[in-house]
């Protein structure tokens, strides 16, 4: 039981993180193809604010405040009582609403359809963009080597 709950929490963290980082145009295009969104009521309408971003030196050092980042958040409830939350980078209230609706739908029987039509394609697009950036960076990599003169 606890393992199932941990797996569900991990899966939700994954799709919510994906929605938070996704480019707005890509998310909205995929979401638009799903069709008419379900009816819902706001628990918290979209609002823009800021959060402190923390970092670690070398990824393992002591945490430090890196700076502030703008985020938009909202919460909603579907007519069946399912609650969805959206926290996204930037100031797009439209993107936060879509993220909250997708989060709510991923907790219902529509999860398979939403995963196939939004989450998986979005994940693939973001992975391809990340690989393209890595390939571009790798092309500029300079390898240094040292020649040894004679042996002592």
């Amino acid at each position: 039981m606890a393992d199932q709950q941990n797996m569900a929490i991990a899966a939700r963290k994954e799709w919510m993180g994906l929605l938070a980082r996704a480019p707005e145009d890509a998310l909205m295009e995929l979401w638009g193809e799903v069709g008419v969104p379900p009816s819902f009521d706001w628990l918290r309408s979209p609002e823009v604010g800021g959060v402190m971003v923390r970092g670690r030196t070398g990824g393992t050092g002591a945490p430090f405040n890196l700076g502030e980042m703008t985020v938009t958040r909202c919460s909603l409830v579907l007519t069946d009582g399912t609650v969805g939350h959206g926290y996204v980078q930037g100031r797009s209230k439209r993107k936060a609403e879509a993220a909250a609706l997708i989060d709510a739908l991923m907790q219902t029987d529509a999860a398979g359809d939403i995963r196939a039509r939004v989450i998986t394609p979005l994940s693939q697009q973001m992975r391809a963009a990340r690989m393209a950036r890595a390939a571009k960076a790798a092309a500029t990599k300079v390898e240094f080597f040292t020649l040894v003169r004679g042996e002592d």
Side-chain angles (χ1 to χ4, degrees):
M1 179 81 158
D3 286 342
Q4 260 185 339
Q5 188 176 19
N6 289 339
M7 288 174 53
I9 289 170
R12 189 171 185 201
K13 284 172 77 172
E14 185 177 328
W15 79 61
M16 288 186 79
L18 178 72
L19 295 170
R21 292 183 307 272
E24 181 179 0
D25 55 343
L27 175 62
M28 297 313 293
E29 180 180 336
L30 291 168
W31 177 239
E33 293 173 4
V34 170
V36 178
S39 52
F40 65 89
D41 290 315
W42 289 114
L43 295 175
R44 172 181 286 146
S45 60
E47 55 190 22
V48 177
V51 296
M52 180 60 66
V53 178
R54 302 201 70 189
R56 291 182 181 268
T57 305
T60 58
F64 64 94
N65 292 338
L66 186 62
E68 292 184 4
M69 180 176 82
T70 305
V71 296
T72 305
R73 70 177 182 179
C74 66
S75 298
L76 52 80
V77 60
L78 300 179
T79 54
D80 68 0
T82 306
V83 175
H85 303 284
Y87 279 78
V88 299
Q89 294 178 2
R91 298 177 169 272
S92 176
K93 293 179 179 183
R94 192 172 73 119
K95 181 181 173 188
E97 178 183 334
L101 282 165
I102 292 167
D103 176 47
L105 290 171
M106 286 295 291
Q107 300 172 68
T108 68
D109 293 338
D113 184 47
I114 297 298
R115 182 176 303 283
R117 296 174 73 182
V118 178
I119 301 295
T120 300
L122 191 58
S123 177
Q124 290 170 346
Q125 286 178 18
M126 290 179 68
R127 186 178 305 113
R130 191 170 45 250
M131 290 175 72
R133 277 193 313 272
K136 187 175 179 182
T140 65
K141 183 178 178 183
V142 177
E143 302 248 354
F144 292 94
F145 59 93
T146 304
L147 294 176
V148 178
R149 290 190 209 176
E151 292 185 283
D152 290 345

